Amino acid sequence: MSFRNTIGITDALPQGTGSQNDWGVSCGSLHLCRLEKGQVSPMKILFASSEALPFAASGGLADVVGSLPAALSQKKDMDCRVVLPLYRSITPEVRNRMTFLKDINVEVGWRKQYCGIYTIAVGSVTYYLLDNPYYFMRDGMYGFYDDCERFIFFSRAVLEILPELGWKPNIIHCNDWQTAMIPVFYRVLYQYHQEYENIRILYTIHNIQYQGVYGKEVITELMGIPTYHTNLLEFDGMVNLMKGAIETADRITTVSPTYAKEILDPWYSYGMDRALVRRQDGIVGILNGIDVVGYNPETDPNIPKHYSATKIQGKKDCRKALLEECHLTDTNAPVIGIVTRFVAHKGIQLVQQTFHEMLQMGCRFVILGSGERLYEDFFREMQAEYPEQVHVTVGFVPAMARRIYAGADIFLMPSQNEPCGLAQMVAMRYGTIPVVRETGGLKDSVFDAGGENGNGFTFKTYDAYDMLDAVKRACALFGDKRKWNALVRHAMKCDYSWNTSAEQYMELYRSVLG
Ligand code: GLC
């Protein structure tokens, strides 16, 4: 069964493009060159990312880069690899299993910096981990005064290592601002070198809010690119790395069909609509999938009882265990789970504004997240005031998140904007019914139970009382056990795997290669 909107990608692909990009570079047919009769060489894709599971994660990007290459590698004639920084957080166990390939020097402005190349295989995917202790042996991945320099180094290193690998990708698939300099460096410094010819670059926006904005001095001090190319990077009087990628990548994609349209609207774009609108070839939106093997209530070792759509009893046990763990009393009202970052665009304000009404309806809340102090304090206060109804865990506790996905009845995710969102899909996989605002990937994956094939509850306007209305409708249906169980079973049976999306990426890669 599938809920997927398949229009996103084909809609955005212009007729007959893919042979010529903005740079007038003709895209030869590289990807499946014939070797012998019936034999084809694989399409080679290198994912460049600042995070990827199982090595380093701070958000959804790590989930995507941790699972999409593996899903693509299952397809015929695909060879996908991933490159990311070797952070301090990468465990000694992983380090012991890595193989050292070589070290090289990478230019960062006028300096040359060491870069060690390590490799490790995870299933069918080869990972390259790039080492520079000065840049990456730190506690945490981001938030340092020199983040710009660190990821300029990484982006340049991704291109510099290619001749050393004995493996030339057809496409480098870059993700978010941290790798946005790869297409810029490629156009300006590498594309005419024999070893680099005909590589195509795809750039995926996972969240348009984080663009990598710095002072203009970084162009000469860190990038070392000729000043007559500064127009590629300049935006509103600053250097904007994401804008550079939008100017220079062969194709721009984002993580849901709805977000692909929304980011052309100033309400969502954080200014970037002015750069995106100039891309004649449009923006492709492909909905993310989730790792349905890792997120499986039939096997998940983190939850107290296992269950499936046909054997649902275990979910009731998980609910009971969650209430006990959180010292909440049970009633006939639903348990509402929230797993999020406590930041404004996740819609926490809507929850705050209507929290008392929802408590009066008897709802229980199990909340997990961290972020802005304002919201952490609010939930802590609510827990102190209503200890039988509210439980909050401040922090990043993956096992607790699983227990909430399994034990809650409703999953509340009223985001102001949400490029894709993975939590709503994980919740549905665990039979927890999402209540979401119709934005980005939430709109493309959750459909209101009032209509055909509904798997959740949705509301349109970013308004606390519209959200409350959707919560009330969910609570009312929760009272009708027969209908509720049918909804839970349907939500669990929807297809959240990468399968459909991986096909769409392959179609896109083919079109980029010509
Ligand atoms: C970002 C987005 C989120 C998306 C994830 C993976 O974290 O905010 O909506 O699911 O990237 O693409």
Side-chain angles (χ1 to χ4, degrees):
M1 200 170 307
S2 172
F3 55 75
R4 281 160 194 280
N5 173 355
T6 46
I7 337 171
I9 168 173
T10 31
D11 263 7
L13 292 178
Q15 299 298 315
T17 54
S19 59
Q20 191 90 5
N21 65 15
D22 287 352
W23 290 76
V25 181
S26 105
C27 309
S29 66
L30 285 165
H31 62 298
L32 291 175
C33 65
R34 300 264 153 213
L35 300 173
E36 283 169 24
K37 206 170 172 218
Q39 197 191 353
V40 286
S41 69
M43 198 194 292
K44 288 177 269 174
I45 314 289
L46 179 65
F47 283 82
S49 175
S50 58
E51 43 186 282
L53 283 168
F55 301 106
S58 82
L61 171 63
D63 285 79
V64 172
V65 185
S67 50
L68 172 60
L72 285 165
S73 297
Q74 304 300 316
K75 309 275 177 198
K76 205 163 167 275
D77 300 319
M78 290 296 294
D79 180 356
C80 295
R81 305 190 183 189
V82 180
V83 54
L84 77 156
L86 180 61
Y87 296 107
R88 163 173 279 169
S89 61
I90 292 174
T91 59
E93 194 264 321
V94 169
R95 286 170 191 265
N96 287 339
R97 292 196 343 291
M98 300 183 316
T99 306
F100 173 74
L101 290 182
K102 193 166 185 184
D103 60 57
I104 59 169
N105 284 321
V106 172
E107 280 179 33
V108 177
W110 53 268
R111 282 150 297 176
K112 283 196 190 319
Q113 300 285 22
Y114 156 85
C115 173
I117 313 169
Y118 290 83
T119 184
I120 185 169
V122 179
S124 53
V125 180
T126 299
Y127 286 78
Y128 299 107
L129 296 158
L130 304 191
D131 181 36
N132 178 296
Y134 169 65
Y135 289 131
F136 300 123
M137 279 297 266
R138 303 183 187 186
D139 292 329
M141 289 192 279
Y142 320 116
F144 300 100
Y145 76 96
D146 57 350
D147 279 357
C148 179
E149 177 173 341
R150 295 166 69 230
F151 289 101
I152 283 176
F153 162 79
F154 177 66
S155 299
R156 188 81 191 256
V158 169
L159 290 161
E160 285 291 325
I161 65 167
L162 295 183
E164 316 298 333
L165 301 181
W167 182 86
K168 181 180 171 187
N170 302 123
I171 293 179
I172 305 176
H173 188 154
C174 306
N175 297 276
D176 274 351
W177 74 265
Q178 296 89 340
T179 50
M181 277 307 289
I182 293 174
V184 180
F185 282 140
Y186 182 73
R187 294 299 169 219
V188 174
L189 301 175
Y190 292 83
Q191 66 172 332
Y192 298 115
H193 289 264
Q194 207 190 348
E195 290 154 307
Y196 289 90
E197 274 174 355
N198 286 326
I199 295 175
R200 302 285 166 253
I201 311 218
L202 213 98
Y203 180 68
T204 296
I205 298 170
H206 293 261
N207 195 329
I208 207 156
Q209 187 177 353
Y210 308 108
Q211 301 174 353
V213 179
Y214 298 98
K216 283 190 199 166
E217 67 283 357
V218 300
I219 294 185
T220 42
E221 284 180 19
L222 302 175
M223 295 174 179
I225 59 179
T227 42
Y228 52 82
H229 280 307
T230 50
N231 62 316
L232 294 175
L233 290 148
E234 273 178 14
F235 200 56
D236 291 340
M238 304 292 279
V239 159
N240 186 310
L241 305 191
M242 182 180 278
K243 190 263 187 178
I246 290 168
E247 291 272 341
T248 53
D250 291 289
R251 193 61 61 88
I252 307 298
T253 84
T254 187
V255 288
S256 70
T258 296
Y259 199 59
K261 292 184 199 129
E262 285 176 345
I263 55 179
L264 295 172
D265 175 344
W267 204 76
Y268 288 98
S269 74
Y270 293 87
M272 205 43 76
D273 59 299
R274 286 172 283 126
L276 286 169
V277 87
R278 293 208 298 267
R279 291 279 317 203
Q280 299 298 309
D281 53 356
I283 301 136
V284 178
I286 299 178
L287 192 66
N288 290 331
I290 56 169
D291 170 8
V292 288
V293 176
Y295 290 117
N296 183 357
E298 287 184 82
T299 53
D300 189 336
N302 301 289
I303 62 176
K305 281 279 156 58
H306 290 146
Y307 58 95
S308 66
T310 45
K311 281 192 182 161
I312 202 79
Q313 178 56 39
K315 179 156 178 72
K316 298 196 178 91
D317 299 334
C318 290
R319 180 183 193 273
K320 193 160 171 275
L322 181 68
L323 288 172
E324 273 168 22
E325 175 186 349
C326 299
H327 311 293
L328 302 180
T329 52
D330 197 359
T331 60
N332 291 327
V335 177
I336 300 184
I338 297 177
V339 179
T340 191
R341 273 183 297 129
F342 294 151
V343 291
H345 72 84
K346 292 287 179 184
I348 318 272
Q349 276 168 335
L350 305 192
V351 179
Q352 267 184 313
Q353 282 169 36
T354 52
F355 206 67
H356 284 92
E357 272 113 321
M358 292 188 282
L359 289 176
Q360 272 161 22
M361 285 153 54
C363 297
R364 268 59 189 143
F365 281 89
V366 184
I367 300 153
L368 170 66
S370 62
E372 288 172 29
R373 188 64 190 269
L374 179 79
Y375 301 123
E376 292 183 2
D377 287 350
F378 170 74
F379 288 125
R380 282 199 183 106
E381 277 166 27
M382 289 298 105
Q383 174 172 342
E385 213 173 313
Y386 304 95
E388 296 190 348
Q389 277 188 272
V390 182
H391 186 274
V392 59
T393 309
V394 174
F396 178 68
V397 192
M400 177 76 184
R402 307 284 185 124
R403 296 198 291 278
I404 297 177
Y405 291 129
D409 301 302
I410 290 173
F411 191 80
L412 187 54
M413 198 167 170
S415 305
Q416 188 171 18
N417 51 65
E418 195 62 72
C420 177
L422 305 172
Q424 80 280 12
M425 296 192 225
V426 177
M428 289 187 280
R429 175 122 174 97
Y430 284 73
T432 299
I433 300 302
V435 174
V436 304
R437 191 172 94 79
E438 290 174 26
T439 182
L442 297 176
K443 187 172 178 193
D444 297 332
S445 60
V446 182
F447 306 100
D448 197 274
E452 256 178 53
N453 273 329
N455 53 6
F457 292 87
T458 71
F459 63 101
K460 280 194 172 59
T461 314
Y462 189 67
D463 178 284
Y465 286 89
D466 282 11
M467 183 200 79
L468 184 63
D469 180 61
V471 172
K472 280 184 180 164
R473 288 189 296 117
C475 291
L477 199 81
F478 184 75
D480 182 335
K481 283 291 165 275
R482 198 181 53 79
K483 285 192 182 154
W484 184 262
N485 288 336
L487 180 63
V488 167
R489 274 195 296 275
H490 174 65
M492 288 184 79
K493 283 182 184 161
C494 289
D495 176 12
Y496 309 107
S497 73
W498 271 106
N499 205 25
T500 315
S501 306
E503 296 281 349
Q504 293 179 353
Y505 273 109
M506 284 176 64
E507 191 184 318
L508 176 66
Y509 295 150
R510 281 190 205 108
S511 102
V512 170
L513 291 172

